[in-house]
Amino acid sequence: MKATIIVKPKKGVLDPQGNAIKKVAENYFGVIFGEIRSGKYFEVEIEHENAKNIIEQLASKILSNEIIEDYEITYESRNS
């Protein structure tokens, strides 16, 4: 099984990296961006009968900090 995990700051949590990117982008393009949020992207492959449970625990316990981050998991079928 293959999964994509995206981790990003929760709404309302300061995102210094996103803010820095926003400032640079606004200066470069000369336009105002509403918001730019930074995050982390992971691709995981695992073959196990409990793969979805393991991936969920990986995302919630290791790849993200539940206090300040949210995560999204997208699963791909083996034939993709």
Side-chain angles (χ1 to χ4, degrees):
M1 170 177 290
K2 185 174 182 180
T4 300
I5 303 167
I6 298 175
V7 179
K8 54 189 172 186
K10 289 184 176 187
K11 291 289 183 190
V13 172
L14 294 178
D15 182 5
Q17 184 177 13
N19 289 337
I21 293 167
K22 180 180 185 286
K23 287 179 185 178
V24 170
E26 287 176 343
N27 288 335
Y28 184 83
F29 292 107
V31 299
I32 302 299
F33 287 86
E35 185 176 46
I36 296 179
R37 306 285 285 172
S38 65
K40 301 177 276 190
Y41 173 88
F42 302 93
E43 289 182 352
V44 178
E45 290 188 46
I46 182 173
E47 292 303 324
H48 191 277
E49 61 187 35
N50 294 322
K52 283 191 176 184
N53 184 40
I54 292 169
I55 291 169
E56 175 70 31
Q57 288 186 44
L58 174 69
S60 69
K61 307 229 183 281
I62 297 174
L63 300 179
S64 68
N65 177 337
E66 67 180 21
I67 296 170
I68 61 170
E69 295 174 314
D70 288 324
Y71 63 88
E72 299 172 11
I73 303 172
T74 304
Y75 296 97
E76 297 179 29
S77 65
R78 194 69 167 140
N79 297 330
S80 293

